[in-house]
Amino acid sequence: MRRLVLASNNAGKLRELQAAFAPLGIQPVTQGELGIPEADEPYVTFVENALAKARHASAASGLPALADDSGICVAALGGAPGVRSARFAGEPRSDGRNNKRLLDVLHGEIDRRAWYHAVLVFIRHADDPQPVIAEGSWHGEIALEPRGDGGFGYDPIFWLPERGCTSAELDLAAKQDLSHRGQALRTLLARLPEHW
Ligand code: IMP
């Protein structure tokens, strides 16, 4: 079993990533399990934040690292909250308050288009000059009210018109199949053998 440090402590994302790596003989350990504190995410792009998180986790653990940065972008808000998704309603981070704030901000808005975006970064060591970078986007709409109790984050208000449900009403396998992170993960896994 090869070990890989996951530069995230988000339980929902970990569930999705761990399920994908286990069949490959790769054992992901979270940075939290290794006592590594969370990195700062000061940048305005997903890719810069993901790289910073991966470097931080790899430098602190001495292991190859995988980091994810993701968020929800809303067309009527010019792509916000984007990299600020986790803290959209301020500190302490709360999915419930974030969802409520987004519904409030979009009250009366007709253009409900939104998309999730995810960037995954894999590095073999902290100074790796060739990170593997994979991205994915998942398009939907912001619902008028929350529905479903699966997933995490904005899933109860992420409406999928072609499915007639929110992403919180999908099971894990269906979400992996469609989601921004699922797409990024498949791209990353296809490229991993040539790098690691
Ligand atoms: P990060 O941990 O800085 O990448 O924060 C990403 C934030 O974007 C999460 O805390 C959620 O609010 C939101 N997000 C990203 N991916 C998803 C998803 O698959 N479902 C719901 N919310 C998501």
Side-chain angles (χ1 to χ4, degrees):
M1 269 290 204
R2 284 180 296 178
R3 294 210 310 160
L4 170 74
V5 61
L6 290 180
S8 172
N9 294 320
N10 178 312
K13 289 197 291 196
L14 289 181
R15 254 196 318 276
E16 296 180 9
L17 293 173
Q18 267 162 342
F21 277 99
L24 302 177
I26 296 172
Q27 186 197 357
V29 287
T30 68
Q31 62 180 17
E33 288 172 68
L34 301 176
I36 301 170
E38 281 192 6
D40 291 334
E41 300 176 37
Y43 302 108
V44 296
T45 66
F46 294 112
V47 66
E48 287 171 294
N49 285 326
L51 255 174
K53 287 195 261 188
R55 275 205 203 101
H56 169 83
S58 185
S61 65
L63 292 171
L66 180 76
D68 148 290
D69 201 46
S70 58
I72 194 161
C73 302
V74 176
L77 303 179
V83 294
R84 304 255 328 129
S85 295
R87 296 173 177 81
F88 188 47
E91 299 280 2
R93 287 176 250 180
S94 155
D95 289 343
R97 287 192 303 112
N98 286 340
N99 287 347
K100 182 174 180 324
R101 174 155 187 227
L102 190 52
L103 290 178
D104 288 348
V105 168
L106 291 181
H107 184 74
E109 175 60 59
I110 291 168
D111 180 1
R112 317 286 302 183
R113 289 171 301 151
W115 61 97
Y116 282 125
H117 190 74
V119 178
L120 289 176
V121 170
F122 169 82
I123 52 174
R124 293 161 293 187
H125 53 82
D127 298 323
D128 192 342
Q130 284 181 283
V132 182
I133 298 175
E135 306 195 47
S137 292
W138 189 18
H139 290 261
E141 296 171 6
I142 302 302
L144 293 172
E145 56 187 21
R147 255 177 68 164
D149 52 15
F152 66 98
Y154 295 88
D155 285 333
I157 59 169
F158 190 66
W159 179 251
L160 302 164
E162 71 282 8
R163 295 240 159 186
C165 68
T166 67
S167 50
E169 295 175 294
L170 297 176
D171 62 28
L172 184 59
K175 188 178 169 194
Q176 291 273 64
D177 197 35
L178 298 168
S179 79
H180 49 316
R181 203 163 10 267
Q183 295 170 37
L185 195 55
R186 284 189 291 278
T187 304
L188 185 100
L189 293 178
R191 293 182 50 204
L192 214 49
E194 53 180 284
H195 285 265
W196 196 26

